[in-house]
Every structure is written in structure tokens, then in C-alpha cells.
Amino acid sequence: MGQLLDGKQLANIRAEVLQKQVLTLKMAGIQPQFCVINIGNDPSSKIYLKTKKRRADQIGIKQKLFQLPSNVTQKNLLELIDRLNNDKSVNGIMIQLPVPKQIILNEALAAIDPNKDVDCLTPANVGRLWQGDHFVEPATAHGILALLDHYHISLKGKNAVIIGRSSIVGKPLAALMLERDATVSILHLKTKNLAEYTKRADILVSATGHPKLVKANMIKKNAVIIDVGISRFNGKTVGDVDFEQVAPIASFITPVPGGIGPLTVESLMEQVVQLTRRNNGKQ
Amino acid sequence: MGQLLDGKQLANIRAEVLQKQVLTLKMAGIQPQFCVINIGNDPSSKIYLKTKKRRADQIGIKQKLFQLPSNVTQKNLLELIDRLNNDKSVNGIMIQLPVPKQIILNEALAAIDPNKDVDCLTPANVGRLWQGDHFVEPATAHGILALLDHYHISLKGKNAVIIGRSSIVGKPLAALMLERDATVSILHLKTKNLAEYTKRADILVSATGHPKLVKANMIKKNAVIIDVGISRFNGKTVGDVDFEQVAPIASFITPVPGGIGPLTVESLMEQVVQLTRRNNGKQ
């Protein structure tokens, strides 16, 4: 039976450290504050927003919600972003995904000041990441590396396979794992035979949202399994990995829930604090 | 025996098209011009500069060389970049690589106006590329895709393996191949067993500069072989691939010289023209 990679516990450990850093900032008169722009009424978004708010409160970060109607125009969204860019009390800005169809997401993301881009989704910060400059890191990828480090799992020379090529998880994680000297393969919906790749993975990351996509016959003995997927299946919250089947074969495995989820939220707060420090001339 | 992917021929075909586009621009009073900043006396750089100049002349693009001494300071380099950024007659700027050790390359690259960044090396343009926005494309990756398209070789669902993780070739090529629905693996010096990956590649790209790195026993029958490497070996210009061994097994293969080299230079000119059009309000 593979050892559990306890993301929840690590998130709590890191949150305590962060709480102290925030206290120091506050004593210098600096209040970390980030703004979430939420458009419409996506039910998953509501849950994520609550989870973020809870963690932000605990750490001492101010999270301000800007709730926009589902029929908001691109122009109005860009005006709000512009206003937040120019508001000195705001250290971070993020757009909660998904957004409605009338919104040109790439344009909206590019409008965010890179100095306030907590999600690392502005072109400038995506480019920096691929060039090895960690100005800000995407929360999920950052959380995954923190978890691997915590359990002393090295990436050097390892065969790392990522299922999912999203801008939020798959692509930035590939950049960070490559930088750590892993050989990186990026798989996706159009990949013909997932197992052909996953069976050889030393470290397998799945980020698709397809319940029970990863089965026992798709993984190598003693592989490290990182499950980023979150979906509802038979009334339960499950990941991409068929945990019961896969756990006995893996050397390490993340649970869902309690794995990458809490780390993502906590890592986001780390980015807010990092941007706050930088925006206030503290490195 | 695999069919030759004739990069030289395709470069000439595309150069003719480009020549006509430049003529149209000139008739509208617009002269495409790009500036190359060369630092020091790297002998390979000299050859590349000459090759570029020849192609630019043929197409009707003005290439201006700024030769800096090998001990130039970062400050002086940044001043030159700033001057070229502000010169309206300049449509493209590139720094010829390699640069001497005292130069902080990432900082210098980031100083280039993204609107004049012909090499697609500013953070903003690297980020755009990973987000599917082809504002400008890195010349080698652009040339490779043009060559595959010319020979009707699809990437969709294919196992594409890239040896080399440079910012110039490996990484941007991964972005573009992923966008074309290939499954992409990025290999490098720290990869433990190259053959384990290359043997399964439908399309194999090698960009390392190690002569005869890719041998017959490392490739799959009927694979497509793209050789980006250029080095001197026993007095001859050779690529990464042991051509004599590998050609009989491949379905398609690029020669060296006459493969990706000429296409890279021609693709660079395409980027200059694209930026010139955009800088003059023509899409």
C-alpha cells in the first residue's frame, strides 16, 4: 500500500508559516489583499470561493469578492480590472474560472497587471515561468512541487507524465518539472493510448476531471501518483485516479479530497503574500 | 529509404512569397528593417549573420548589424535596446546568441519591445505562445511545422519526442506541437535512457548539437526524423542524427545541411515581415 501524500497536513504547516509572515507585514503597516472577480453563478466556483475565503481569513489576508452578473460585458470587466490595477491597496487580482462565453478570457487575463497576477496567467508571467524566473507561480503546480519536496521525492532524471494540458495545471507544471530535470510528457484527450505513456511514469500527475480514468493496469509498480482531478461520482468527491485499485501498487499517492486541493488554496495565498512583499519593495 | 524533407527547397518557395509581400509593403512606403545585436566574435555567429544577411537581401528586408565589443556592459546593451525600441524605422530586434558571461540575458531579452521581438524571446511573447496566441513565432519551431505541413505530415494524436529543452527550440516547439494535438515529451541531458522514449516516437526532433547522437537502434520503423543539430565532425557539417544509419528506417528525414537550417533563417524573415505589417497597422 502506497504512502499517503498528505496535502491537507502540509497545507496547514505552510499556512502557519505564512500567517507569521503576514503578521510581520501587518506590523509594518502592510495588509495583503487580493480581489477575486467572479462572473455568474457557477456552483463549483462558489465552493472554491468559500474555501479560499476561509484560508485567507485564517492567514490574515483580505479577500475581496467582485461579483459580476453572468451577462457582464467585456468592456465592463476590463474597466474593473483597470480600476483594481490602479488601486494601491490591492496586491493580487484573479478571475475565477470558468467565465461566460461572451468574455474573451485571454484578453481579460492579459489586462491584469503582472505585478498583481496571483494566478500566473498573464502572458508576461507565463513567459517568465518558462524562462526560469519564478516571479509568481501557478498555485496547483507550486503545491505539487511543495508536496514532492516535503516527502523528499526528487524529480531529477525521472519520467514525469502529466495528463492534461490546461493553462492552469498541465502546462505550467511541465515547465516547473522540466526545470527540476525531469523528462516530461504531456498527455491529453487526443492522446491515442494513455497507458502506453503512464505505464512508464515514475511520477504520474492526472488533471482531467474524469473520475476513475487512471486504473491499476495503467501504472508502474512503485510509481508516485498525484491526483489533481476533483469531480462528483455516485454522490462522493473523487479524483481522476481509481484510488482503491491504484494505491496498493503506488509508492506514494495523494488522496482526494485532502491531497492537492488544500495545497492549491494555500499556495495561492503564498503568491498573494509574495506579490504583496514585492509590491511594497520587500524581496 | 526515407523520403528527404527538403527544407532548402521549401525555404526558397516561401522566400518567393515573402519577397512579393515585401514588395507590396514597399509600394506602400514601408521598409521592413530588423537589427541584430552581436556581442563579441563567436565564429558560428559570424556564419549565421552572413546567412541571414543574404536571405534578407534576397527578400528585400534591411538587416542592420550592431556589433558590440565582447566586454560591453549590461548598461550599454540596455541603452542600445532602448534606442532601437524607440526608433520607428526598426521593426525587429534580436540578440545574436551566445552572449558573453557578464550579460544577464533574460534581462536584456525582457527589455526588447514585444512588438519588435523577432525571436519570440520576450516573456510576454513566450507567454502568448503557450496561450495559443501566435503574435510572433520562434523561427526554428515555425520552420519545422511549415516543413511537416508541406509534406502533409499531421501531428494530431502522434507521439512527438523532442530532445533538447532550450528556449530557442525545444520549449516553444513543445508548445506548438501540443497545440496541434500531438502528445509531447521533452528529453534532455538529464534524461536517463533516451532510447526508451525515442523508440516510441512517431515524430522525433533532435536539437542538441551532439553529432551522431541518434542511432538506428533508437528509432521506430517509419518514424519522421527532424534534425535541428548543426556541428562540425571530421571536417564536415553534420546534425544530431546518424543519417546513414537512420535514413533507411525513417519514413521522412531532414538532411543536414539543407534541412531545418535554411527554414529557420527564412522563418525569421517571415517574423520580421509580420511584425512590420503589425507595427504599421496592417494585419
Side-chain angles (χ1 to χ4, degrees), chain A residues 106 109 121-124 126-128 130-131 156-159 165 167 171 178-179 181-188 190-192 196-197 200, chain B residues 106 109 121-124 126-128 130-131 156-159 165 167 171 178-179 181-188 190-192 196-197 200:
Chain A
N106 271 2
L109 292 171
L121 285 174
T122 57
V126 173
R128 279 165 164 166
W130 281 98
Q131 295 178 324
K156 192 166 185 168
K158 298 285 176 66
N159 182 354
R165 54 174 161 177
S167 298
K171 287 174 180 175
L178 202 55
E179 190 180 285
D181 291 334
T183 301
V184 179
S185 299
I186 310 169
L187 281 46
H188 45 80
K190 299 284 166 57
T191 299
K192 274 177 187 156
E196 191 187 318
Y197 304 88
R200 296 186 176 84
Chain B
N106 271 2
L109 292 171
L121 285 174
T122 57
V126 172
R128 279 167 163 164
W130 280 98
Q131 293 177 325
K156 193 167 182 167
K158 299 286 177 63
N159 182 353
R165 55 176 161 176
S167 297
K171 288 175 180 174
L178 202 56
E179 190 181 285
D181 291 334
T183 302
V184 178
S185 299
I186 309 169
L187 281 46
H188 46 80
K190 299 283 168 56
T191 298
K192 273 179 189 155
E196 193 187 318
Y197 304 87
R200 297 188 175 83

Side-chain angles (χ1 to χ4, degrees), chain B residues 33-40 49 63-69 77 80-81 83-84 87 90 92-96:
Chain B
Q33 181 183 222
F34 82 113
C35 299
V36 186
I37 302 172
N38 190 51
I39 310 174
L49 285 170
Q63 173 180 319
K64 217 165 155 180
L65 174 64
F66 290 81
Q67 177 62 48
L68 302 180
L77 173 61
L80 172 60
I81 292 170
R83 184 151 64 82
L84 298 177
D87 181 341
V90 175
I93 304 167
M94 63 171 291
I95 301 172
Q96 183 68 42

Side-chain angles (χ1 to χ4, degrees), chain B residues 145-211:
Chain B
L145 288 205
L147 191 61
L148 293 174
D149 286 345
H150 184 69
Y151 285 89
H152 307 289
I153 300 166
S154 162
L155 282 152
K156 193 167 182 167
K158 299 286 177 63
N159 182 353
V161 173
I162 301 167
I163 314 177
R165 55 176 161 176
S166 73
S167 297
I168 309 284
V169 182
K171 288 175 180 174
L173 182 62
L176 293 179
M177 288 187 146
L178 202 56
E179 190 181 285
R180 298 282 198 98
D181 291 334
T183 302
V184 178
S185 299
I186 309 169
L187 281 46
H188 46 80
L189 272 177
K190 299 283 168 56
T191 298
K192 273 179 189 155
N193 185 353
L194 289 178
E196 193 187 318
Y197 304 87
T198 58
K199 263 185 195 169
R200 297 188 175 83
D202 300 312
I203 298 169
L204 176 64
V205 181
S206 187
T208 70
H210 290 270

Side-chain angles (χ1 to χ4, degrees), chain A residues 160-228:
Chain A
V161 173
I162 301 166
I163 315 178
R165 54 174 161 177
S166 74
S167 298
I168 309 286
V169 183
K171 287 174 180 175
L173 183 61
L176 292 179
M177 289 186 145
L178 202 55
E179 190 180 285
R180 297 281 197 98
D181 291 334
T183 301
V184 179
S185 299
I186 310 169
L187 281 46
H188 45 80
L189 272 177
K190 299 284 166 57
T191 299
K192 274 177 187 156
N193 185 353
L194 289 179
E196 191 187 318
Y197 304 88
T198 58
K199 264 184 193 169
R200 296 186 176 84
D202 300 312
I203 298 168
L204 176 64
V205 181
S206 187
T208 71
H210 290 269
K212 308 213 176 196
L213 174 74
V214 178
K215 301 280 189 187
N217 61 3
M218 289 171 68
I219 74 154
K220 187 163 86 172
K221 196 168 159 51
N222 290 326
V224 176
I225 309 291
I226 307 285
D227 192 348
V228 185

